[in-house]
Amino acid sequence: MAPLVLILGIAAAALVALFVLLDVQRTRAWKELAGVHGWQYLARESGLGRFGRFRACRAGQDHRLQRRVFGPLEGARVDVAEIAHTERDLLLRPKQRSTVQTACLVEDPGLHLPAFFSRPRSPIDELGRLANLQDIAFPEDPDFSAAMLVQGEEVDAIRARFDGPSRAWLARHAPERWSYEGVGDALLVVAPRTLGEAELKRLVGSALELARIFKSTPPQQAQEKRP
């Protein structure tokens, strides 16, 4: 019995050491991102702050920002956060589990976005159709419609704002499993997990790229381009 206890103790210590190492590496990556852009770095904030108005960030309870960097870039304010929350896992066990996601918020007065939510499709969406889950149709772009779910109250404005370039970009990035929200001057891109250094940079760069695509066609021109 003693050797088994020793082995288990060593294994537990190794797991703790690995967790600490990964945490240190992630902190370093976030601080490096802040340093490159001259942004501010903060850690361990309770609540959701600027992210609280977005559906993708409000799931669960006991929200906290484990890491956050923010500052100006390309004429916009960029706010990136590692958001943790707890939720009940009723299917597997009647207790809470912790979930972490990484969100990049771009606030730019040139965006002019109708309120929308979009994410890659999943097999469960077929059940949603049966339950009349809202799903804005894009019959002119079946590849996009097959790849992405789009929701929002201002259907005509959303369909106009999702022009060819933005639909192509979103469909191309569907394998990332990111979700997207927009409202007014704000665009949010959320990855459903913690990110390594390269992934973190890609998330920020992609959010800015999508914002540029949306800005390239003002709302009036987007309406005029609709068939």
Side-chain angles (χ1 to χ4, degrees):
M1 181 63 69
L4 178 59
V5 172
L6 179 61
I7 292 172
L8 292 175
I10 293 173
L15 286 174
V16 170
L18 178 60
F19 176 82
V20 171
L21 176 62
L22 292 174
D23 190 68
V24 169
Q25 290 176 340
R26 283 198 295 269
T27 298
R28 183 184 301 119
W30 282 75
K31 288 183 176 180
E32 287 179 358
L33 178 65
V36 166
H37 298 295
W39 293 346
Q40 187 172 350
Y41 169 84
L42 296 174
R44 305 292 190 268
E45 297 177 79
S46 61
L48 285 170
R50 301 174 78 89
F51 297 88
R53 56 177 164 153
F54 297 99
R55 162 180 165 180
C57 301
R58 293 197 301 268
Q61 56 191 2
D62 300 327
H63 301 94
R64 58 198 179 280
L65 307 182
Q66 297 188 148
R67 297 175 181 84
R68 177 180 168 222
V69 297
F70 59 93
L73 186 64
E74 298 183 10
R77 175 192 165 105
V78 180
D79 209 320
V80 193
E82 194 175 73
I83 304 172
H85 70 268
T86 58
E87 57 187 36
R88 289 197 175 277
D89 192 340
L90 299 178
L91 293 178
L92 298 179
R93 52 193 183 277
K95 64 179 183 180
Q96 293 183 335
R97 64 186 176 92
S98 181
T99 299
V100 180
Q101 55 188 1
T102 307
C104 179
L105 172 60
V106 178
E107 294 175 290
D108 189 312
L111 281 172
H112 306 293
L113 297 173
F116 75 85
F117 173 82
S118 181
R119 61 163 173 77
R121 291 196 180 278
S122 67
I124 201 171
D125 288 335
E126 188 59 35
L127 296 176
R129 287 196 185 98
L130 297 176
N132 293 321
L133 177 73
Q134 186 196 28
D135 187 352
I136 298 175
F138 292 82
E140 72 277 21
D141 194 341
D143 290 339
F144 173 78
S145 293
M148 300 295 296
L149 174 77
V150 182
Q151 298 176 323
E153 297 299 323
E154 302 176 75
V155 175
D156 290 340
I158 292 170
R159 293 191 74 247
R161 211 70 182 90
F162 278 57
D163 58 5
S166 58
R167 293 196 309 268
W169 190 97
L170 288 164
R172 187 168 66 251
H173 286 78
E176 300 276 7
R177 309 309 300 174
W178 295 339
S179 65
Y180 307 86
E181 286 188 65
V183 57
D185 66 353
L187 172 67
L188 182 77
V189 183
V190 179
R193 60 187 184 280
T194 58
L195 301 181
E197 182 177 1
E199 293 177 310
L200 185 61
K201 291 178 179 178
R202 186 166 68 249
L203 177 70
V204 174
S206 297
L208 288 165
E209 183 179 14
L210 180 57
R212 287 194 294 269
I213 292 172
F214 278 130
K215 286 173 59 180
S216 67
T217 306
Q220 296 83 358
Q221 293 184 25
Q223 290 283 358
E224 292 170 0
K225 287 169 64 178
R226 295 296 304 171

